[in-house]
Amino acid sequence: MRKALLAAVAMLLSSPAIATTLIENARGVQVGPDGKLDRFRGLVVNDQGKVVQVLRGPAAPVMPIDRRIDAGGRTLLPGLIDAHGHVMALGFSALQLDLTGVRSLEEMQQRLKAYAAANPQARWILGRGWNQELWPDRKFPAAADIDAVVADRPVWLGRVDGHAAIANSAAMQAAGFSVNTIAPQGGRIENGLFVDAAMVLVESKIPAPTAAEQDQALAKAQELMLANGLTATADMGTSPEDWAAMNRAASGKKLNVRILSYAGGIPSMRVINGGKPSGWLHADRLNLVGVKMYADGALGSRGAVLKRPYADKPDTHGLSLISDAQLSSQADEAARTGHQLAVHAIGDGANAQVLSAYEKLRRSYPGDRRWRIEHFQIADPADIPRLAPAGIIASMQPVHQTSDRLMAEQRLGPDRLAGAYAWQSVIRSGARIAFGSDFPVESPNPFPGLAAAISRQDINGQPPGGWMPEERVSFEQALSGFTRDAAYAGFAEQKFGALEPGKWADFILVDRDVSAADPQALARTQVLETWVAGKKVWSGSASAAGERGQ
Ligand SMILES: [Zn+2]
């Protein structure tokens, strides 16, 4: 008895258990269940990392407090959620050699040399972002220019637009390239420069990442997400290898972001977790909830399926990636196995196709299904009212609107823009919206997205007055799109998306009052600290901390 007591005391002394933590002196801002702003000044968090009390007004903690954290009057928000990202791609692209903005071939060579020296384990050296238009002679690089710096392993460096890449001799050798190689149709090869359709000759030879490389990419992606204030994300297109990496990280207690995983197509869906949704795993860090499918491509490359021909290329409507019959049978298989459906549709033709498939499927699968359309970018205004009655969620990316607007005007012409990036029309129709970034297509930083959502302007305030400003949303709607509604879109609203008793204490401290900031200031918000399950998992640089006094 005495021995057991001593052991218990020793255990208590060796690991002082923190029962409750009070986060006080915060300027808390979130969206309440009524859709209005909810301001609070503190949180009580239990030893599990869950919120037990939200302090508003003069209310005092209802239980004894073991630890107090002074938020220093800073703005506290629920952790933001990206409803549409690509986690591993974010990590892999961030690990590549970044050649954005290099001013000369010599500068590119220097950076390549340094990167190769810093990454001796890399079997291939991959990079991207160079633009010879910024160089004094504007001359394209050649394989020999790369060989001069790195010749011991393949090097493959993509141009800024993704439509060309330069290979060194080792990469060309790996691709089986010889003087007799003929570029495929739609491609060109010149002195190691592979253009468009020729790029696949080399890209198909890049070895699949090892488990260690996967782990490294996931860690990098997580660091970027936490630094940008994201505590949860949907992963739109998880492969079985990605799923394994996420589980390895979580098992090793290294997964700090929460991932709502959507298998990348039906073949991956059949394999991951034995072909069934996983439910929440690893203390709610990981959940395979659904499957991501594609109905069409992108607007920029005219792959998006439009109801009528492209305004700037009248001989095409775009390129459908799935027939009605295929979509119906694949969606039926996914629904039958309990997977939530998330189908990519950009053009108004593809959106109508997915809406029809969902409406039909709903007769067999009633109830709360929350089927999603990813992007819902260009809709026929007549189709928007079809979302709400079928319980369909529009998963949209505000920053795409600012990146695409000039291109969209060309592709669609002035008369077909009414249903383009039409966030407010979707909300007014009674449908749910969820916001995201589509990282790494865009930056994972959600603040430019919040700013675009309320202004229809880019980070520099363009265009003045906003593009189709009637589609702006309120700050509350925008914040909800990146918190409550993004959680709802992944069946996670009981777990996170708001700081309420019983939910995880996932929150961020930022350097300004986002509810009062103008759009350009909102877009430039800096995250100071990121907390997940009541633990600080990321904090900013000294410079960010120095702004706290402002
Ligand atoms: Zn995407």
Side-chain angles (χ1 to χ4, degrees), residues 109-423:
Q109 288 173 316
Q110 280 162 14
R111 290 226 210 153
L112 172 59
K113 193 173 175 182
Y115 182 88
N119 292 278
Q121 82 295 345
R123 292 166 296 166
W124 278 58
I125 290 177
L126 304 174
R128 73 191 187 298
W130 58 268
N131 180 1
Q132 86 291 346
E133 291 293 319
L134 305 175
W135 301 355
D137 57 4
R138 300 185 174 192
K139 220 178 102 190
F140 277 107
D145 299 324
I146 310 300
D147 289 343
V149 190
V150 179
D152 63 339
R153 50 201 150 139
V155 176
W156 179 246
L157 308 174
R159 192 177 182 276
V160 64
D161 61 1
H163 284 277
I166 183 73
N168 67 352
S169 295
M172 289 199 282
Q173 210 175 353
F177 180 84
S178 78
V179 286
N180 300 320
T181 303
I182 298 164
Q185 197 168 12
R188 195 156 50 83
I189 306 168
E190 253 168 52
N191 297 326
L193 185 76
F194 288 68
V195 181
D196 283 329
M199 293 169 70
V200 69
L201 295 178
V202 180
E203 278 168 356
S204 61
K205 298 296 189 299
I206 298 171
T210 62
E213 287 164 346
Q214 292 258 349
D215 294 346
Q216 200 188 0
L218 177 54
K220 185 72 189 174
Q222 167 168 291
E223 180 193 321
L224 288 168
M225 283 186 267
L226 296 174
N228 282 295
L230 295 174
T231 55
T233 186
D235 184 49
M236 277 296 155
T238 308
S239 71
E241 294 76 22
D242 299 344
W243 179 249
M246 291 165 185
N247 275 283
R248 277 197 301 277
S251 300
K253 307 267 181 253
K254 289 180 198 150
L255 191 64
N256 288 322
V257 289
R258 305 188 192 277
I259 300 179
L260 293 152
S261 179
Y262 293 77
I266 298 293
S268 285
M269 182 194 84
R270 289 178 183 147
V271 174
I272 295 175
N273 195 54
K276 292 194 184 70
S278 70
W280 283 106
L281 305 170
H282 309 290
D284 297 347
R285 300 296 161 104
L286 187 59
N287 189 353
L288 189 287
V289 282
V291 60
K292 160 88 179 296
M293 295 188 279
Y294 283 86
D296 66 350
L299 194 63
S301 55
R302 298 190 188 84
V305 173
L306 300 181
K307 289 188 175 181
R308 288 186 288 133
Y310 277 81
D312 58 355
K313 201 169 186 295
D315 64 348
T316 181
H317 289 250
L319 191 68
S320 177
L321 300 179
I322 195 162
S323 70
D324 291 351
Q326 285 170 325
L327 178 57
S328 287
S329 82
Q330 292 187 10
D332 184 74
E333 178 180 343
R336 195 168 58 237
T337 49
H339 291 88
Q340 185 190 12
L341 299 166
V343 182
H344 164 120
I346 301 262
D348 55 6
N351 277 298
Q353 181 193 25
V354 178
L355 283 166
S356 296
Y358 281 173
E359 285 165 348
K360 206 172 97 194
L361 201 63
R362 223 182 139 65
R363 287 176 221 142
S364 315
Y365 300 95
D368 184 10
R369 297 278 164 177
R370 304 187 197 182
W371 291 332
R372 306 168 49 137
I373 298 184
E374 298 308 312
H375 308 304
F376 200 67
Q377 206 158 288
I378 312 299
D380 181 337
D383 287 332
I384 294 176
R386 296 168 68 185
L387 291 166
I392 298 166
I393 295 166
S395 164
M396 304 178 78
Q397 298 75 36
V399 170
H400 280 341
Q401 180 269 305
T402 63
S403 304
D404 293 359
R405 66 182 168 88
L406 298 175
M407 178 271 289
E409 285 174 2
Q410 288 174 11
R411 299 287 181 275
L412 299 167
D415 305 331
R416 278 192 291 174
L417 295 170
Y421 314 86
W423 314 316

